[in-house]
Amino acid sequence: MLDQSGVRPSKIVSVLATQVGGIGNLNVTDHDVCNYLSTKRHKELEKGDAQLMLQYFQKRQSENPGFFYAIQVDIEGRLANCFWADAKSRSLYKHFGDVVTFDPTYLTNKYKMPFVPLTGVNHHYQSILFGGALLWDETEESFVWLLQTWLEAMLGCPPKTVITDQDTAITNAVARVLPHSTHHFCMWHIEKKFPETLSHIYHQNNDFKYHFSKCIHDTITPEEFEMAWTELIEKYKLQNNTWIQKVYSIRERWVPAFVRASFCAGMSTTQRSESMNKFFKDYLNSSTAMSKFVTQYDRAIEARYDKEKEKNFKTKNTKPILKTLYPMEVEAAKVYTRKIFRMFQDELLESQKYVSEKITMKDGVYKYRVHECQKEFPSYIVILNIVEQKVECSCHKFEFVGILCKHALMVFIKKQIHSLPMHYLLDRWTMSAICGRDEGDFSEKLHQAEPLRNSSMWFNDIMVRSLGISEKASRSAKHHRVALQGLQALSDKLDDLPYENEQDSSLSISQVDSHSEIHDPTQGQTSQKSITLFNPVTVASKGRPRTLRMKGGLEKSRKINKCSCCKEKGHNRSTCPKVKN
Ligand SMILES: [Zn+2]
Ligand SMILES: [Zn+2]
């Protein structure tokens, strides 16, 4: 069975047993099971396709050990879920992993497997990828597998915010794997459902659309939203509409007045992941085989890296046009990337249209009402602490996007603060976002995250960190020489460490090996015999499917145990016969 699938046995490492458990728990009818089986057959991989894909992954990893991939197979040895991320994606995550969005899409009609690119935003405000996955289906189990695998590839640092569609399977999976991340729903998808679900209201009342939009988009604080919503519900008698009750109960996850209080790099929809999906459509079509798919994915992602390089070059080698005389504009032009500078500049220019009225002043804390010159509404509340140079605006633009809003800037200028306080220059929007932060924020995040437990995680961790060094070392011959000397010194130091530490890693390797129970042919047969769709209990006792990752890389890392003195294998400097002599 395993051979027929074309998947190399040594890489068949986990069994999608919970799939079966799920079906049993759902109390399915015979009809459902028939459907289940036929889709299963339909998804059967073209002979050799999965193997070609694996060969490609292996090749990528041998070229660059920072390449990460993970594969999960179903009970019959067919490839079910797979995830991969190139080294650069993993390195970018260190700097821009604060917000991630994903939205499954069907590009690979050949196997009807949803493709899930994980998308983020770089310092040029461009969409970037943190890896991609081909999933068997869109169940909670598949998403849990994806998020766990993805998190491991990204060194266990969860994002601050996740934005997805409002979907039960995804929502449960995010809650299980990323319990400390803020999870927002795509505003646009929920809004789109209003005309569909409330078509009678839309037909009877021409002004509902207008009032609804005002309630969602023109309310600034949660209090304002609550008032507008109550009014809307009463006016159109929607108190007993269960769907309305449902979207209201999740308001904190999609209504701008709420979501703007947390950092989303400016995203309130899954639009970035949708445009990423569209982007891939140019590279892939419905008949693309899986092995071809991953190759094309790499080509597509290379094209994106070229775009980033273009922007880096432009920011470094051209000067933006300044439009005001404020020193903060000059400062912003120096540090921000060009795109972010323009966004800041727009806010600064707009701020000139606004006026303010002082509401209160106490102990150096000013409270203003800020609004446009000739318009009383909408108005914003800006609180300024003049000593600490801290400002808070009810529009929450800084919290949401990371750039100061026109209202806050207006108050700064009014109070003669003409220089941008450092704490309002978010590193992730500056040109230095991609260099020199390795020891700062990221290692802090690492400490908050779970400690790295095994050799595969240690390997991954060092791999990703050293990518930054490779980049710096390639700047000039001199950089390269210094890096080489440093690496040699480090390598010697590691060689001289006592051998006892090795036990940890060999222990974890044997643990990793034991995950791949299915290697054992007898074991494989028993599981095939004992597992039927209607007998989930024995399956469940096997526990969650597990996956082996980076094994190739690991084996390689263990081979390089050379003595730093005589360069021979099998001993280290402290036990070297030549040193003793
Ligand atoms: Zn504001
Ligand atoms: Zn030696």
PDB file of all heavy atoms in Angstrom, residues 444-474:
ATOM      1  N   GLU A 444      13.888  38.215  23.031  1.00  0.00           N
ATOM      2  CA  GLU A 444      12.924  38.430  24.110  1.00  0.00           C
ATOM      3  C   GLU A 444      11.694  37.569  23.888  1.00  0.00           C
ATOM      4  O   GLU A 444      11.218  36.884  24.768  1.00  0.00           O
ATOM      5  CB  GLU A 444      12.469  39.890  24.121  1.00  0.00           C
ATOM      6  CG  GLU A 444      13.176  40.756  25.138  1.00  0.00           C
ATOM      7  CD  GLU A 444      12.879  42.213  24.882  1.00  0.00           C
ATOM      8  OE1 GLU A 444      11.693  42.566  24.781  1.00  0.00           O
ATOM      9  OE2 GLU A 444      13.838  42.991  24.760  1.00  0.00           O
ATOM     10  N   LYS A 445      11.214  37.620  22.640  1.00  0.00           N
ATOM     11  CA  LYS A 445      10.031  36.843  22.295  1.00  0.00           C
ATOM     12  C   LYS A 445      10.303  35.363  22.513  1.00  0.00           C
ATOM     13  O   LYS A 445       9.448  34.625  22.946  1.00  0.00           O
ATOM     14  CB  LYS A 445       9.649  37.080  20.824  1.00  0.00           C
ATOM     15  CG  LYS A 445       8.646  38.200  20.632  1.00  0.00           C
ATOM     16  CD  LYS A 445       7.867  38.025  19.344  1.00  0.00           C
ATOM     17  CE  LYS A 445       8.572  38.645  18.184  1.00  0.00           C
ATOM     18  NZ  LYS A 445       7.881  38.452  16.911  1.00  0.00           N
ATOM     19  N   LEU A 446      11.541  34.974  22.187  1.00  0.00           N
ATOM     20  CA  LEU A 446      11.900  33.571  22.334  1.00  0.00           C
ATOM     21  C   LEU A 446      11.782  33.122  23.775  1.00  0.00           C
ATOM     22  O   LEU A 446      11.355  32.020  24.070  1.00  0.00           O
ATOM     23  CB  LEU A 446      13.332  33.357  21.865  1.00  0.00           C
ATOM     24  CG  LEU A 446      13.492  32.745  20.489  1.00  0.00           C
ATOM     25  CD1 LEU A 446      14.952  32.483  20.227  1.00  0.00           C
ATOM     26  CD2 LEU A 446      12.699  31.462  20.374  1.00  0.00           C
ATOM     27  N   HIS A 447      12.176  34.022  24.697  1.00  0.00           N
ATOM     28  CA  HIS A 447      12.122  33.640  26.100  1.00  0.00           C
ATOM     29  C   HIS A 447      10.691  33.475  26.572  1.00  0.00           C
ATOM     30  O   HIS A 447      10.395  32.648  27.403  1.00  0.00           O
ATOM     31  CB  HIS A 447      12.863  34.667  26.954  1.00  0.00           C
ATOM     32  CG  HIS A 447      14.342  34.606  26.754  1.00  0.00           C
ATOM     33  ND1 HIS A 447      15.044  33.454  26.940  1.00  0.00           N
ATOM     34  CD2 HIS A 447      15.231  35.529  26.342  1.00  0.00           C
ATOM     35  CE1 HIS A 447      16.320  33.676  26.663  1.00  0.00           C
ATOM     36  NE2 HIS A 447      16.461  34.926  26.291  1.00  0.00           N
ATOM     37  N   GLN A 448       9.815  34.312  25.993  1.00  0.00           N
ATOM     38  CA  GLN A 448       8.409  34.184  26.368  1.00  0.00           C
ATOM     39  C   GLN A 448       7.830  32.883  25.826  1.00  0.00           C
ATOM     40  O   GLN A 448       6.984  32.265  26.431  1.00  0.00           O
ATOM     41  CB  GLN A 448       7.598  35.347  25.798  1.00  0.00           C
ATOM     42  CG  GLN A 448       7.905  36.672  26.474  1.00  0.00           C
ATOM     43  CD  GLN A 448       7.428  37.839  25.641  1.00  0.00           C
ATOM     44  OE1 GLN A 448       6.663  37.666  24.705  1.00  0.00           O
ATOM     45  NE2 GLN A 448       7.889  39.021  25.975  1.00  0.00           N
ATOM     46  N   ALA A 449       8.328  32.503  24.643  1.00  0.00           N
ATOM     47  CA  ALA A 449       7.810  31.290  24.029  1.00  0.00           C
ATOM     48  C   ALA A 449       8.327  30.074  24.789  1.00  0.00           C
ATOM     49  O   ALA A 449       9.168  30.181  25.669  1.00  0.00           O
ATOM     50  CB  ALA A 449       8.256  31.219  22.576  1.00  0.00           C
ATOM     51  N   GLU A 450       7.821  28.937  24.422  1.00  0.00           N
ATOM     52  CA  GLU A 450       8.263  27.709  25.059  1.00  0.00           C
ATOM     53  C   GLU A 450       9.754  27.510  24.827  1.00  0.00           C
ATOM     54  O   GLU A 450      10.261  27.819  23.758  1.00  0.00           O
ATOM     55  CB  GLU A 450       7.537  26.525  24.420  1.00  0.00           C
ATOM     56  CG  GLU A 450       6.186  26.247  25.026  1.00  0.00           C
ATOM     57  CD  GLU A 450       5.578  25.004  24.415  1.00  0.00           C
ATOM     58  OE1 GLU A 450       6.215  23.944  24.496  1.00  0.00           O
ATOM     59  OE2 GLU A 450       4.495  25.115  23.842  1.00  0.00           O
ATOM     60  N   PRO A 451      10.468  26.971  25.810  1.00  0.00           N
ATOM     61  CA  PRO A 451      11.888  26.721  25.577  1.00  0.00           C
ATOM     62  C   PRO A 451      12.059  25.654  24.491  1.00  0.00           C
ATOM     63  O   PRO A 451      11.200  24.804  24.319  1.00  0.00           O
ATOM     64  CB  PRO A 451      12.374  26.213  26.932  1.00  0.00           C
ATOM     65  CG  PRO A 451      11.154  25.734  27.637  1.00  0.00           C
ATOM     66  CD  PRO A 451      10.022  26.567  27.135  1.00  0.00           C
ATOM     67  N   LEU A 452      13.165  25.748  23.764  1.00  0.00           N
ATOM     68  CA  LEU A 452      13.417  24.766  22.712  1.00  0.00           C
ATOM     69  C   LEU A 452      13.756  23.439  23.376  1.00  0.00           C
ATOM     70  O   LEU A 452      14.657  23.367  24.203  1.00  0.00           O
ATOM     71  CB  LEU A 452      14.567  25.239  21.824  1.00  0.00           C
ATOM     72  CG  LEU A 452      14.371  26.635  21.237  1.00  0.00           C
ATOM     73  CD1 LEU A 452      15.565  27.022  20.383  1.00  0.00           C
ATOM     74  CD2 LEU A 452      13.100  26.706  20.430  1.00  0.00           C
ATOM     75  N   ARG A 453      13.035  22.407  22.998  1.00  0.00           N
ATOM     76  CA  ARG A 453      13.120  21.177  23.764  1.00  0.00           C
ATOM     77  C   ARG A 453      14.022  20.109  23.170  1.00  0.00           C
ATOM     78  O   ARG A 453      14.497  19.239  23.871  1.00  0.00           O
ATOM     79  CB  ARG A 453      11.733  20.571  23.948  1.00  0.00           C
ATOM     80  CG  ARG A 453      10.861  21.296  24.926  1.00  0.00           C
ATOM     81  CD  ARG A 453       9.509  20.628  24.929  1.00  0.00           C
ATOM     82  NE  ARG A 453       9.058  20.414  23.564  1.00  0.00           N
ATOM     83  CZ  ARG A 453       8.208  21.208  22.950  1.00  0.00           C
ATOM     84  NH1 ARG A 453       7.711  22.226  23.564  1.00  0.00           N
ATOM     85  NH2 ARG A 453       7.852  20.971  21.712  1.00  0.00           N
ATOM     86  N   ASN A 454      14.205  20.119  21.863  1.00  0.00           N
ATOM     87  CA  ASN A 454      14.963  19.001  21.313  1.00  0.00           C
ATOM     88  C   ASN A 454      15.943  19.455  20.246  1.00  0.00           C
ATOM     89  O   ASN A 454      15.957  20.610  19.836  1.00  0.00           O
ATOM     90  CB  ASN A 454      14.008  17.947  20.754  1.00  0.00           C
ATOM     91  CG  ASN A 454      13.116  18.536  19.683  1.00  0.00           C
ATOM     92  OD1 ASN A 454      13.585  19.270  18.818  1.00  0.00           O
ATOM     93  ND2 ASN A 454      11.843  18.233  19.745  1.00  0.00           N
ATOM     94  N   SER A 455      16.744  18.515  19.790  1.00  0.00           N
ATOM     95  CA  SER A 455      17.830  18.866  18.883  1.00  0.00           C
ATOM     96  C   SER A 455      17.307  19.424  17.567  1.00  0.00           C
ATOM     97  O   SER A 455      17.946  20.275  16.958  1.00  0.00           O
ATOM     98  CB  SER A 455      18.700  17.644  18.631  1.00  0.00           C
ATOM     99  OG  SER A 455      17.886  16.571  18.215  1.00  0.00           O
ATOM    100  N   SER A 456      16.128  18.971  17.137  1.00  0.00           N
ATOM    101  CA  SER A 456      15.629  19.497  15.871  1.00  0.00           C
ATOM    102  C   SER A 456      15.277  20.970  16.014  1.00  0.00           C
ATOM    103  O   SER A 456      15.497  21.780  15.120  1.00  0.00           O
ATOM    104  CB  SER A 456      14.441  18.649  15.397  1.00  0.00           C
ATOM    105  OG  SER A 456      13.301  19.415  15.217  1.00  0.00           O
ATOM    106  N   MET A 457      14.765  21.358  17.186  1.00  0.00           N
ATOM    107  CA  MET A 457      14.453  22.769  17.407  1.00  0.00           C
ATOM    108  C   MET A 457      15.727  23.594  17.577  1.00  0.00           C
ATOM    109  O   MET A 457      15.809  24.720  17.110  1.00  0.00           O
ATOM    110  CB  MET A 457      13.539  22.927  18.617  1.00  0.00           C
ATOM    111  CG  MET A 457      12.118  22.461  18.336  1.00  0.00           C
ATOM    112  SD  MET A 457      11.104  22.469  19.799  1.00  0.00           S
ATOM    113  CE  MET A 457      10.253  24.024  19.605  1.00  0.00           C
ATOM    114  N   TRP A 458      16.733  23.028  18.256  1.00  0.00           N
ATOM    115  CA  TRP A 458      18.007  23.754  18.405  1.00  0.00           C
ATOM    116  C   TRP A 458      18.623  23.985  17.037  1.00  0.00           C
ATOM    117  O   TRP A 458      19.139  25.047  16.731  1.00  0.00           O
ATOM    118  CB  TRP A 458      18.988  22.948  19.280  1.00  0.00           C
ATOM    119  CG  TRP A 458      18.528  22.803  20.691  1.00  0.00           C
ATOM    120  CD1 TRP A 458      17.859  23.735  21.431  1.00  0.00           C
ATOM    121  CD2 TRP A 458      18.678  21.658  21.535  1.00  0.00           C
ATOM    122  NE1 TRP A 458      17.596  23.238  22.676  1.00  0.00           N
ATOM    123  CE2 TRP A 458      18.090  21.970  22.774  1.00  0.00           C
ATOM    124  CE3 TRP A 458      19.278  20.405  21.369  1.00  0.00           C
ATOM    125  CZ2 TRP A 458      18.068  21.080  23.841  1.00  0.00           C
ATOM    126  CZ3 TRP A 458      19.259  19.515  22.430  1.00  0.00           C
ATOM    127  CH2 TRP A 458      18.656  19.845  23.651  1.00  0.00           C
ATOM    128  N   PHE A 459      18.553  22.936  16.231  1.00  0.00           N
ATOM    129  CA  PHE A 459      19.123  23.029  14.890  1.00  0.00           C
ATOM    130  C   PHE A 459      18.438  24.145  14.095  1.00  0.00           C
ATOM    131  O   PHE A 459      19.082  25.024  13.534  1.00  0.00           O
ATOM    132  CB  PHE A 459      18.957  21.681  14.176  1.00  0.00           C
ATOM    133  CG  PHE A 459      19.578  21.644  12.811  1.00  0.00           C
ATOM    134  CD1 PHE A 459      20.889  21.235  12.640  1.00  0.00           C
ATOM    135  CD2 PHE A 459      18.847  22.038  11.700  1.00  0.00           C
ATOM    136  CE1 PHE A 459      21.459  21.213  11.391  1.00  0.00           C
ATOM    137  CE2 PHE A 459      19.414  22.020  10.445  1.00  0.00           C
ATOM    138  CZ  PHE A 459      20.727  21.605  10.287  1.00  0.00           C
ATOM    139  N   ASN A 460      17.097  24.099  14.094  1.00  0.00           N
ATOM    140  CA  ASN A 460      16.331  25.108  13.365  1.00  0.00           C
ATOM    141  C   ASN A 460      16.664  26.510  13.842  1.00  0.00           C
ATOM    142  O   ASN A 460      16.817  27.440  13.061  1.00  0.00           O
ATOM    143  CB  ASN A 460      14.831  24.875  13.572  1.00  0.00           C
ATOM    144  CG  ASN A 460      14.339  23.698  12.779  1.00  0.00           C
ATOM    145  OD1 ASN A 460      14.988  23.281  11.827  1.00  0.00           O
ATOM    146  ND2 ASN A 460      13.215  23.156  13.185  1.00  0.00           N
ATOM    147  N   ASP A 461      16.742  26.641  15.157  1.00  0.00           N
ATOM    148  CA  ASP A 461      16.959  27.950  15.756  1.00  0.00           C
ATOM    149  C   ASP A 461      18.272  28.557  15.275  1.00  0.00           C
ATOM    150  O   ASP A 461      18.319  29.684  14.798  1.00  0.00           O
ATOM    151  CB  ASP A 461      16.954  27.795  17.281  1.00  0.00           C
ATOM    152  CG  ASP A 461      17.189  29.118  17.975  1.00  0.00           C
ATOM    153  OD1 ASP A 461      16.474  30.077  17.626  1.00  0.00           O
ATOM    154  OD2 ASP A 461      18.074  29.197  18.833  1.00  0.00           O
ATOM    155  N   ILE A 462      19.354  27.774  15.381  1.00  0.00           N
ATOM    156  CA  ILE A 462      20.670  28.284  14.979  1.00  0.00           C
ATOM    157  C   ILE A 462      20.690  28.549  13.472  1.00  0.00           C
ATOM    158  O   ILE A 462      21.234  29.548  13.002  1.00  0.00           O
ATOM    159  CB  ILE A 462      21.784  27.285  15.376  1.00  0.00           C
ATOM    160  CG1 ILE A 462      21.850  27.169  16.902  1.00  0.00           C
ATOM    161  CG2 ILE A 462      23.136  27.722  14.821  1.00  0.00           C
ATOM    162  CD1 ILE A 462      22.122  28.473  17.636  1.00  0.00           C
ATOM    163  N   MET A 463      20.046  27.661  12.734  1.00  0.00           N
ATOM    164  CA  MET A 463      19.990  27.800  11.277  1.00  0.00           C
ATOM    165  C   MET A 463      19.412  29.156  10.877  1.00  0.00           C
ATOM    166  O   MET A 463      19.991  29.898  10.090  1.00  0.00           O
ATOM    167  CB  MET A 463      19.082  26.679  10.750  1.00  0.00           C
ATOM    168  CG  MET A 463      19.300  26.326   9.327  1.00  0.00           C
ATOM    169  SD  MET A 463      21.001  25.940   9.009  1.00  0.00           S
ATOM    170  CE  MET A 463      21.380  27.255   7.902  1.00  0.00           C
ATOM    171  N   VAL A 464      18.260  29.470  11.447  1.00  0.00           N
ATOM    172  CA  VAL A 464      17.584  30.710  11.069  1.00  0.00           C
ATOM    173  C   VAL A 464      18.396  31.920  11.508  1.00  0.00           C
ATOM    174  O   VAL A 464      18.537  32.898  10.783  1.00  0.00           O
ATOM    175  CB  VAL A 464      16.166  30.747  11.670  1.00  0.00           C
ATOM    176  CG1 VAL A 464      15.535  32.109  11.476  1.00  0.00           C
ATOM    177  CG2 VAL A 464      15.307  29.689  11.010  1.00  0.00           C
ATOM    178  N   ARG A 465      18.980  31.828  12.719  1.00  0.00           N
ATOM    179  CA  ARG A 465      19.763  32.961  13.200  1.00  0.00           C
ATOM    180  C   ARG A 465      20.989  33.209  12.341  1.00  0.00           C
ATOM    181  O   ARG A 465      21.423  34.344  12.153  1.00  0.00           O
ATOM    182  CB  ARG A 465      20.195  32.726  14.648  1.00  0.00           C
ATOM    183  CG  ARG A 465      19.087  33.009  15.621  1.00  0.00           C
ATOM    184  CD  ARG A 465      19.359  32.311  16.936  1.00  0.00           C
ATOM    185  NE  ARG A 465      18.167  32.326  17.747  1.00  0.00           N
ATOM    186  CZ  ARG A 465      17.879  33.303  18.595  1.00  0.00           C
ATOM    187  NH1 ARG A 465      18.694  34.307  18.742  1.00  0.00           N
ATOM    188  NH2 ARG A 465      16.767  33.265  19.288  1.00  0.00           N
ATOM    189  N   SER A 466      21.590  32.126  11.832  1.00  0.00           N
ATOM    190  CA  SER A 466      22.822  32.331  11.082  1.00  0.00           C
ATOM    191  C   SER A 466      22.562  32.852   9.673  1.00  0.00           C
ATOM    192  O   SER A 466      23.483  33.295   8.998  1.00  0.00           O
ATOM    193  CB  SER A 466      23.649  31.045  11.049  1.00  0.00           C
ATOM    194  OG  SER A 466      22.838  29.968  10.691  1.00  0.00           O
ATOM    195  N   LEU A 467      21.304  32.825   9.238  1.00  0.00           N
ATOM    196  CA  LEU A 467      20.997  33.395   7.922  1.00  0.00           C
ATOM    197  C   LEU A 467      21.336  34.882   7.885  1.00  0.00           C
ATOM    198  O   LEU A 467      21.881  35.389   6.912  1.00  0.00           O
ATOM    199  CB  LEU A 467      19.519  33.211   7.593  1.00  0.00           C
ATOM    200  CG  LEU A 467      19.130  31.809   7.173  1.00  0.00           C
ATOM    201  CD1 LEU A 467      17.623  31.681   7.150  1.00  0.00           C
ATOM    202  CD2 LEU A 467      19.714  31.491   5.816  1.00  0.00           C
ATOM    203  N   GLY A 468      21.020  35.559   8.982  1.00  0.00           N
ATOM    204  CA  GLY A 468      21.327  36.986   9.074  1.00  0.00           C
ATOM    205  C   GLY A 468      22.826  37.211   8.956  1.00  0.00           C
ATOM    206  O   GLY A 468      23.284  38.150   8.306  1.00  0.00           O
ATOM    207  N   ILE A 469      23.605  36.308   9.576  1.00  0.00           N
ATOM    208  CA  ILE A 469      25.066  36.428   9.516  1.00  0.00           C
ATOM    209  C   ILE A 469      25.538  36.235   8.077  1.00  0.00           C
ATOM    210  O   ILE A 469      26.380  36.983   7.587  1.00  0.00           O
ATOM    211  CB  ILE A 469      25.719  35.390  10.459  1.00  0.00           C
ATOM    212  CG1 ILE A 469      25.329  35.727  11.912  1.00  0.00           C
ATOM    213  CG2 ILE A 469      27.232  35.381  10.298  1.00  0.00           C
ATOM    214  CD1 ILE A 469      25.852  34.767  12.937  1.00  0.00           C
ATOM    215  N   SER A 470      24.965  35.236   7.392  1.00  0.00           N
ATOM    216  CA  SER A 470      25.357  35.002   5.997  1.00  0.00           C
ATOM    217  C   SER A 470      25.138  36.246   5.155  1.00  0.00           C
ATOM    218  O   SER A 470      25.968  36.610   4.321  1.00  0.00           O
ATOM    219  CB  SER A 470      24.540  33.853   5.403  1.00  0.00           C
ATOM    220  OG  SER A 470      24.595  32.739   6.233  1.00  0.00           O
ATOM    221  N   GLU A 471      23.994  36.901   5.389  1.00  0.00           N
ATOM    222  CA  GLU A 471      23.697  38.099   4.609  1.00  0.00           C
ATOM    223  C   GLU A 471      24.722  39.193   4.872  1.00  0.00           C
ATOM    224  O   GLU A 471      25.241  39.815   3.956  1.00  0.00           O
ATOM    225  CB  GLU A 471      22.288  38.598   4.935  1.00  0.00           C
ATOM    226  CG  GLU A 471      21.235  37.971   4.039  1.00  0.00           C
ATOM    227  CD  GLU A 471      19.820  38.392   4.399  1.00  0.00           C
ATOM    228  OE1 GLU A 471      19.642  39.554   4.836  1.00  0.00           O
ATOM    229  OE2 GLU A 471      18.923  37.559   4.259  1.00  0.00           O
ATOM    230  N   LYS A 472      25.022  39.390   6.178  1.00  0.00           N
ATOM    231  CA  LYS A 472      25.985  40.440   6.527  1.00  0.00           C
ATOM    232  C   LYS A 472      27.376  40.093   6.004  1.00  0.00           C
ATOM    233  O   LYS A 472      28.130  40.963   5.574  1.00  0.00           O
ATOM    234  CB  LYS A 472      26.041  40.613   8.043  1.00  0.00           C
ATOM    235  CG  LYS A 472      24.831  41.343   8.594  1.00  0.00           C
ATOM    236  CD  LYS A 472      24.904  41.435  10.109  1.00  0.00           C
ATOM    237  CE  LYS A 472      23.544  41.779  10.680  1.00  0.00           C
ATOM    238  NZ  LYS A 472      23.506  41.635  12.133  1.00  0.00           N
ATOM    239  N   ALA A 473      27.710  38.799   6.053  1.00  0.00           N
ATOM    240  CA  ALA A 473      29.055  38.375   5.659  1.00  0.00           C
ATOM    241  C   ALA A 473      29.293  38.525   4.162  1.00  0.00           C
ATOM    242  O   ALA A 473      30.429  38.536   3.703  1.00  0.00           O
ATOM    243  CB  ALA A 473      29.285  36.929   6.082  1.00  0.00           C
ATOM    244  N   SER A 474      28.200  38.643   3.404  1.00  0.00           N
ATOM    245  CA  SER A 474      28.388  38.720   1.954  1.00  0.00           C
ATOM    246  C   SER A 474      28.486  40.157   1.456  1.00  0.00           C
ATOM    247  O   SER A 474      28.457  40.421   0.265  1.00  0.00           O
ATOM    248  CB  SER A 474      27.242  37.980   1.256  1.00  0.00           C
ATOM    249  OG  SER A 474      26.010  38.505   1.673  1.00  0.00           O
TER     250      SER A 474
END
